[in-house]
Amino acid sequence: MIVWLNGTFGAGKTSAAHELLDLLPGSTLYDPELLGTGLRLMLPAKRLEEVDDYQDLPSWRRMVVDTAAALLTEVPGPLVTPMTLLRQDYRDEIFGSLAARRIPVRHVLLHAEETILRQRIALRAEQPGDPEAHASVRRWSLEHLGPYADALAWLQGDAHVVDTTLLTPRQTAERVAEAIRTGAGACDIVQTPEPTAETLAAGVLLFDDQDRVLLVDPTYKAGWEFPGGIVERGEAPARAGVREVAEELGIELPHAPRLLVLDWEAPHPPGFGGLRLLYDGGTLTDDRISKLLLPGSELRDWRFVTETEAAQLLPPVRWNRLRWALRARERGCPLHLEAGVPL
């Protein structure tokens, strides 16, 4: 298990984490910031200049998961992880990958009001040492208060919140330990195994009466997606699409959907690629839309979007596939793509 202590600078994550080690038997401190430090030393300067933060590196997010899994083969756990994580798509990627490894996460947010955070940051910056270094740390910490305020809406809905305003680090750790014992902060994420080879996946496009397409927001991976999923062994792809729509949204399609696009996705390590099929599931009436259901462990939200709006939500590979699927729907003829390019 991982106890992920989230919160911005000044919330008391590191000091509470050290106290928490005394309260959770077998626990070990796991600091993913060390992985970021290692990447800064190993990656070329040109690559580092392309990102604002080491969390923006896909390699860092992958290493957080792989290192946690490796550590748990050496120690009994839990791993206590004091790490600021403000982007929900990064949360989905990391926590979803941990769930795929059967590693449960307890997400705890250590929170204090901005005035308190600013006071703590100021005191931290005034510690003895290199004045220039302290000023840099203070600026960095203050710059994160805005993004933290923006992220509070999803953080408070996802994590168990502990207000540290009037608490010592020991008291904070005691509150966290008690919360963990009662099951608070558990992230209920579908345990989708990571693929070990090429996969066959079937997605279904569903439309409203304005011809907008339905997208869903998975809890276990970054970015929006089409309803659908991996075709199981021995299963017909169109039938898999129908099954996934029923499981994810509670919608029973009356007939097999029509194929729009068959796309071969090239392998890009650590991904294996494979065949991706998109089907036309037809138009949903307002009555059927009102009955849409979401499995909380798998999907967070859904929305109908225009083609232009979809470009802002979907990762580039999925957006390109949608774009060609819509053209195929207009023409009434399916398209065969390889790596997103029509043949």
Side-chain angles (χ1 to χ4, degrees):
M1 179 176 71
I2 288 184
V3 179
W4 193 290
L5 299 181
N6 207 343
T8 192
F9 301 96
K13 300 185 301 297
T14 301
S15 54
H18 285 282
E19 295 286 351
L20 194 57
L21 296 178
D22 293 336
L23 302 174
L24 299 180
S27 59
T28 300
L29 184 69
Y30 172 37
D31 187 358
E33 186 174 352
L34 298 176
L35 303 177
T37 301
L39 286 172
R40 287 196 189 101
L41 295 174
M42 291 183 283
L43 288 175
K46 182 179 179 181
R47 175 66 182 114
L48 294 174
E49 290 170 358
E50 296 172 350
V51 299
D52 295 326
D53 190 296
Y54 61 75
Q55 292 195 8
D56 298 329
L57 296 167
S59 55
W60 178 82
R61 302 192 296 274
R62 180 88 182 172
M63 287 171 65
V64 170
V65 177
D66 291 343
T67 304
L71 282 173
L72 288 172
T73 67
E74 305 285 350
V75 297
L79 302 180
V80 178
T81 305
M83 188 75 235
T84 301
L85 194 61
L86 302 184
R87 287 188 51 167
Q88 193 172 33
D89 54 341
Y90 290 174
R91 172 268 185 213
D92 292 349
E93 181 179 346
I94 293 170
F95 289 10
S97 295
L98 289 167
R101 302 288 192 93
R102 304 296 190 268
I103 301 173
V105 177
R106 298 292 184 88
H107 190 193
V108 179
L109 175 66
L110 303 187
H111 174 71
E113 295 303 321
E114 184 174 332
T115 53
I116 301 299
L117 294 171
R118 287 183 177 275
Q119 290 173 12
R120 292 175 180 175
I121 291 170
L123 290 173
R124 177 181 177 181
E126 293 168 2
Q127 300 269 334
D130 183 351
E132 186 174 340
H134 286 312
S136 177
V137 169
R138 184 175 181 231
R139 283 195 302 272
W140 175 266
S141 301
L142 291 173
E143 287 171 357
H144 280 73
L145 292 180
Y148 173 66
D150 294 339
L152 265 180
W154 79 261
L155 283 171
Q156 291 177 329
D158 191 75
H160 174 75
V161 181
V162 174
D163 191 330
T164 68
T165 301
L166 301 177
L167 301 180
T168 65
R170 184 68 180 191
Q171 290 171 331
T172 298
E174 289 170 349
R175 297 280 181 89
V176 173
E178 179 60 25
I180 296 303
R181 281 192 285 269
T182 60
C187 292
D188 184 20
I189 304 175
V190 62
Q191 296 183 337
T192 304
E194 292 185 343
T196 57
E198 296 89 345
T199 53
L200 174 63
V204 179
L205 302 185
L206 300 165
F207 300 87
D208 66 4
D209 58 9
Q210 300 178 51
D211 250 8
R212 296 179 302 175
V213 66
L214 178 69
L215 299 183
V216 293
D217 183 15
T219 61
Y220 59 92
K221 63 180 177 180
W224 288 69
E225 181 60 283
F226 322 110
I230 299 298
V231 179
E232 296 178 355
R233 187 177 182 87
E235 186 178 29
R239 175 51 52 188
V242 171
R243 172 181 55 77
E244 288 284 351
V245 167
E247 292 176 355
E248 293 181 356
L249 303 172
I251 293 177
E252 299 286 346
L253 296 179
H255 51 75
R258 179 170 60 93
L259 179 66
L260 294 174
V261 159
L262 183 152
D263 186 15
W264 173 76
E265 185 175 300
H268 292 291
F272 292 93
L275 286 179
R276 308 290 181 252
L277 289 80
L278 274 184
Y279 293 91
D280 184 354
T283 301
L284 298 178
T285 63
D286 290 343
D287 180 61
R288 298 185 78 191
I289 292 172
S290 68
K291 296 176 181 177
L292 283 175
L293 302 174
L294 290 179
S297 64
E298 187 171 357
L299 300 177
R300 176 184 294 114
D301 198 5
W302 60 268
R303 67 175 68 171
F304 284 97
V305 298
T306 65
E307 185 173 348
T308 301
E309 291 168 338
Q312 305 301 316
L313 295 174
L314 291 171
V317 171
R318 294 176 210 156
W319 152 243
N320 185 66
R321 193 172 298 137
L322 172 65
R323 182 170 64 93
W324 285 114
L326 294 177
R327 301 294 82 77
R329 186 171 184 255
E330 292 168 356
R331 300 169 188 172
C333 180
L335 287 173
H336 180 193
L337 314 179
E338 284 193 357
V341 178
L343 294 180

